[in-house]
Amino acid sequence: MRRRFFLSTGLVLATPALAQPRQALPHEWVFGSWIGGQFPPGEIGGQECLGGATVIFLRDVVLRATALDVAYRQRLIETVAPIPDGLEFRFVPAAPMGGAFGNRPPPDAGFGCGGDPNLLRVRRRTADEIIFPDCNEFPSPLRRCRPA
């Protein structure tokens, strides 16, 4: 008795993709929750730090807290480029607000860095401390939140 084996076309097509190693993203080292920036971060950790995170870096999005609102502002990442001492994020342009603001982006769309709300430079001080240079809204360092 002869057995016949059939291989699905989908499996054959998917096999080369599964065999390729995953490419590292230039901003993987910054993924996670960070506290501080607006004020010195202090020495808090665990759930307290995670609950008060000022900035959260994800694969495709950067979330930031504002002083006057409980909701995080989301910025979709357009590109990330490594620079000698950190990263340079370019965000998808924020949608204009309209109304009294005209065709300008919301005032808290950026990080208060220079004149471009769609650009953020991140400088790495240590593995767990970063700064946003020349950003009025984030004059203090940020410290990575670690689980307790």
PDB file of all heavy atoms in Angstrom, residues 48-66:
ATOM      1  N   GLU A  48       3.323  51.860  40.264  1.00  0.00           N
ATOM      2  CA  GLU A  48       3.227  53.315  40.398  1.00  0.00           C
ATOM      3  C   GLU A  48       3.871  54.018  39.206  1.00  0.00           C
ATOM      4  O   GLU A  48       3.334  54.985  38.666  1.00  0.00           O
ATOM      5  CB  GLU A  48       3.875  53.763  41.706  1.00  0.00           C
ATOM      6  CG  GLU A  48       3.684  55.230  41.998  1.00  0.00           C
ATOM      7  CD  GLU A  48       4.334  55.662  43.304  1.00  0.00           C
ATOM      8  OE1 GLU A  48       5.061  54.861  43.922  1.00  0.00           O
ATOM      9  OE2 GLU A  48       4.114  56.816  43.696  1.00  0.00           O
ATOM     10  N   CYS A  49       5.006  53.514  38.775  1.00  0.00           N
ATOM     11  CA  CYS A  49       5.693  54.083  37.616  1.00  0.00           C
ATOM     12  C   CYS A  49       4.875  53.842  36.350  1.00  0.00           C
ATOM     13  O   CYS A  49       4.646  54.757  35.560  1.00  0.00           O
ATOM     14  CB  CYS A  49       7.083  53.468  37.473  1.00  0.00           C
ATOM     15  SG  CYS A  49       8.079  54.188  36.144  1.00  0.00           S
ATOM     16  N   LEU A  50       4.434  52.606  36.140  1.00  0.00           N
ATOM     17  CA  LEU A  50       3.647  52.277  34.946  1.00  0.00           C
ATOM     18  C   LEU A  50       2.349  53.078  34.892  1.00  0.00           C
ATOM     19  O   LEU A  50       1.913  53.498  33.825  1.00  0.00           O
ATOM     20  CB  LEU A  50       3.356  50.778  34.898  1.00  0.00           C
ATOM     21  CG  LEU A  50       4.576  49.879  34.683  1.00  0.00           C
ATOM     22  CD1 LEU A  50       4.198  48.412  34.886  1.00  0.00           C
ATOM     23  CD2 LEU A  50       5.176  50.096  33.317  1.00  0.00           C
ATOM     24  N   GLY A  51       1.737  53.309  36.045  1.00  0.00           N
ATOM     25  CA  GLY A  51       0.485  54.069  36.100  1.00  0.00           C
ATOM     26  C   GLY A  51       0.680  55.552  35.842  1.00  0.00           C
ATOM     27  O   GLY A  51      -0.258  56.254  35.472  1.00  0.00           O
ATOM     28  N   GLY A  52       1.890  56.056  36.024  1.00  0.00           N
ATOM     29  CA  GLY A  52       2.157  57.473  35.815  1.00  0.00           C
ATOM     30  C   GLY A  52       3.081  57.731  34.647  1.00  0.00           C
ATOM     31  O   GLY A  52       3.724  58.778  34.583  1.00  0.00           O
ATOM     32  N   ALA A  53       3.163  56.787  33.712  1.00  0.00           N
ATOM     33  CA  ALA A  53       4.085  56.923  32.578  1.00  0.00           C
ATOM     34  C   ALA A  53       3.775  58.196  31.799  1.00  0.00           C
ATOM     35  O   ALA A  53       2.622  58.525  31.537  1.00  0.00           O
ATOM     36  CB  ALA A  53       3.990  55.709  31.669  1.00  0.00           C
ATOM     37  N   THR A  54       4.820  58.910  31.445  1.00  0.00           N
ATOM     38  CA  THR A  54       4.692  60.146  30.684  1.00  0.00           C
ATOM     39  C   THR A  54       4.741  59.877  29.187  1.00  0.00           C
ATOM     40  O   THR A  54       4.040  60.505  28.409  1.00  0.00           O
ATOM     41  CB  THR A  54       5.840  61.107  31.056  1.00  0.00           C
ATOM     42  OG1 THR A  54       5.939  61.162  32.471  1.00  0.00           O
ATOM     43  CG2 THR A  54       5.585  62.493  30.541  1.00  0.00           C
ATOM     44  N   VAL A  55       5.596  58.926  28.778  1.00  0.00           N
ATOM     45  CA  VAL A  55       5.754  58.578  27.365  1.00  0.00           C
ATOM     46  C   VAL A  55       5.816  57.059  27.257  1.00  0.00           C
ATOM     47  O   VAL A  55       6.460  56.400  28.082  1.00  0.00           O
ATOM     48  CB  VAL A  55       7.038  59.203  26.774  1.00  0.00           C
ATOM     49  CG1 VAL A  55       7.216  58.816  25.314  1.00  0.00           C
ATOM     50  CG2 VAL A  55       7.019  60.718  26.909  1.00  0.00           C
ATOM     51  N   ILE A  56       5.142  56.524  26.240  1.00  0.00           N
ATOM     52  CA  ILE A  56       5.167  55.086  25.962  1.00  0.00           C
ATOM     53  C   ILE A  56       5.558  54.907  24.502  1.00  0.00           C
ATOM     54  O   ILE A  56       4.899  55.450  23.606  1.00  0.00           O
ATOM     55  CB  ILE A  56       3.796  54.434  26.243  1.00  0.00           C
ATOM     56  CG1 ILE A  56       3.375  54.675  27.689  1.00  0.00           C
ATOM     57  CG2 ILE A  56       3.852  52.932  25.916  1.00  0.00           C
ATOM     58  CD1 ILE A  56       1.940  54.273  27.999  1.00  0.00           C
ATOM     59  N   PHE A  57       6.638  54.171  24.279  1.00  0.00           N
ATOM     60  CA  PHE A  57       7.105  53.889  22.922  1.00  0.00           C
ATOM     61  C   PHE A  57       6.675  52.485  22.533  1.00  0.00           C
ATOM     62  O   PHE A  57       6.970  51.524  23.252  1.00  0.00           O
ATOM     63  CB  PHE A  57       8.640  53.963  22.844  1.00  0.00           C
ATOM     64  CG  PHE A  57       9.186  55.349  22.970  1.00  0.00           C
ATOM     65  CD1 PHE A  57       9.581  55.843  24.199  1.00  0.00           C
ATOM     66  CD2 PHE A  57       9.332  56.159  21.849  1.00  0.00           C
ATOM     67  CE1 PHE A  57      10.117  57.116  24.328  1.00  0.00           C
ATOM     68  CE2 PHE A  57       9.851  57.440  21.963  1.00  0.00           C
ATOM     69  CZ  PHE A  57      10.247  57.915  23.200  1.00  0.00           C
ATOM     70  N   LEU A  58       6.004  52.377  21.404  1.00  0.00           N
ATOM     71  CA  LEU A  58       5.604  51.100  20.836  1.00  0.00           C
ATOM     72  C   LEU A  58       6.194  50.970  19.442  1.00  0.00           C
ATOM     73  O   LEU A  58       6.867  51.888  18.953  1.00  0.00           O
ATOM     74  CB  LEU A  58       4.072  50.996  20.793  1.00  0.00           C
ATOM     75  CG  LEU A  58       3.360  51.180  22.138  1.00  0.00           C
ATOM     76  CD1 LEU A  58       1.864  51.308  21.945  1.00  0.00           C
ATOM     77  CD2 LEU A  58       3.682  50.030  23.063  1.00  0.00           C
ATOM     78  N   ARG A  59       5.917  49.895  18.778  1.00  0.00           N
ATOM     79  CA  ARG A  59       6.478  49.645  17.442  1.00  0.00           C
ATOM     80  C   ARG A  59       6.093  50.722  16.437  1.00  0.00           C
ATOM     81  O   ARG A  59       6.924  51.231  15.708  1.00  0.00           O
ATOM     82  CB  ARG A  59       6.014  48.278  16.963  1.00  0.00           C
ATOM     83  CG  ARG A  59       6.501  47.920  15.600  1.00  0.00           C
ATOM     84  CD  ARG A  59       5.857  46.616  15.129  1.00  0.00           C
ATOM     85  NE  ARG A  59       6.246  46.347  13.781  1.00  0.00           N
ATOM     86  CZ  ARG A  59       7.122  45.437  13.423  1.00  0.00           C
ATOM     87  NH1 ARG A  59       7.691  44.688  14.346  1.00  0.00           N
ATOM     88  NH2 ARG A  59       7.421  45.261  12.163  1.00  0.00           N
ATOM     89  N   ASP A  60       4.820  51.091  16.384  1.00  0.00           N
ATOM     90  CA  ASP A  60       4.319  52.014  15.366  1.00  0.00           C
ATOM     91  C   ASP A  60       3.784  53.326  15.915  1.00  0.00           C
ATOM     92  O   ASP A  60       3.348  54.174  15.143  1.00  0.00           O
ATOM     93  CB  ASP A  60       3.186  51.349  14.566  1.00  0.00           C
ATOM     94  CG  ASP A  60       3.635  50.091  13.861  1.00  0.00           C
ATOM     95  OD1 ASP A  60       4.787  50.076  13.385  1.00  0.00           O
ATOM     96  OD2 ASP A  60       2.858  49.125  13.787  1.00  0.00           O
ATOM     97  N   VAL A  61       3.793  53.484  17.229  1.00  0.00           N
ATOM     98  CA  VAL A  61       3.142  54.632  17.855  1.00  0.00           C
ATOM     99  C   VAL A  61       3.941  55.098  19.057  1.00  0.00           C
ATOM    100  O   VAL A  61       4.566  54.296  19.740  1.00  0.00           O
ATOM    101  CB  VAL A  61       1.715  54.211  18.294  1.00  0.00           C
ATOM    102  CG1 VAL A  61       1.224  54.860  19.536  1.00  0.00           C
ATOM    103  CG2 VAL A  61       0.708  54.409  17.209  1.00  0.00           C
ATOM    104  N   VAL A  62       3.913  56.401  19.308  1.00  0.00           N
ATOM    105  CA  VAL A  62       4.446  56.965  20.545  1.00  0.00           C
ATOM    106  C   VAL A  62       3.276  57.659  21.234  1.00  0.00           C
ATOM    107  O   VAL A  62       2.564  58.456  20.621  1.00  0.00           O
ATOM    108  CB  VAL A  62       5.587  57.975  20.271  1.00  0.00           C
ATOM    109  CG1 VAL A  62       6.065  58.610  21.568  1.00  0.00           C
ATOM    110  CG2 VAL A  62       6.744  57.299  19.555  1.00  0.00           C
ATOM    111  N   LEU A  63       3.062  57.318  22.499  1.00  0.00           N
ATOM    112  CA  LEU A  63       2.000  57.936  23.298  1.00  0.00           C
ATOM    113  C   LEU A  63       2.651  58.896  24.276  1.00  0.00           C
ATOM    114  O   LEU A  63       3.684  58.589  24.860  1.00  0.00           O
ATOM    115  CB  LEU A  63       1.228  56.865  24.079  1.00  0.00           C
ATOM    116  CG  LEU A  63       0.653  55.712  23.280  1.00  0.00           C
ATOM    117  CD1 LEU A  63       0.192  54.611  24.203  1.00  0.00           C
ATOM    118  CD2 LEU A  63      -0.501  56.193  22.444  1.00  0.00           C
ATOM    119  N   ARG A  64       2.016  60.055  24.473  1.00  0.00           N
ATOM    120  CA  ARG A  64       2.561  60.999  25.445  1.00  0.00           C
ATOM    121  C   ARG A  64       1.453  61.570  26.301  1.00  0.00           C
ATOM    122  O   ARG A  64       0.334  61.788  25.841  1.00  0.00           O
ATOM    123  CB  ARG A  64       3.326  62.108  24.752  1.00  0.00           C
ATOM    124  CG  ARG A  64       2.423  62.993  23.900  1.00  0.00           C
ATOM    125  CD  ARG A  64       3.027  64.319  23.623  1.00  0.00           C
ATOM    126  NE  ARG A  64       3.027  65.122  24.825  1.00  0.00           N
ATOM    127  CZ  ARG A  64       2.936  66.428  24.841  1.00  0.00           C
ATOM    128  NH1 ARG A  64       2.859  67.107  23.724  1.00  0.00           N
ATOM    129  NH2 ARG A  64       2.937  67.095  25.951  1.00  0.00           N
ATOM    130  N   ALA A  65       1.771  61.787  27.559  1.00  0.00           N
ATOM    131  CA  ALA A  65       0.824  62.400  28.485  1.00  0.00           C
ATOM    132  C   ALA A  65       0.916  63.907  28.350  1.00  0.00           C
ATOM    133  O   ALA A  65       1.934  64.453  27.932  1.00  0.00           O
ATOM    134  CB  ALA A  65       1.157  61.979  29.915  1.00  0.00           C
ATOM    135  N   THR A  66      -0.163  64.569  28.684  1.00  0.00           N
ATOM    136  CA  THR A  66      -0.156  66.028  28.740  1.00  0.00           C
ATOM    137  C   THR A  66      -0.528  66.451  30.152  1.00  0.00           C
ATOM    138  O   THR A  66      -1.125  65.682  30.905  1.00  0.00           O
ATOM    139  CB  THR A  66      -1.153  66.644  27.734  1.00  0.00           C
ATOM    140  OG1 THR A  66      -2.472  66.238  28.087  1.00  0.00           O
ATOM    141  CG2 THR A  66      -0.855  66.210  26.318  1.00  0.00           C
TER     142      THR A  66
END
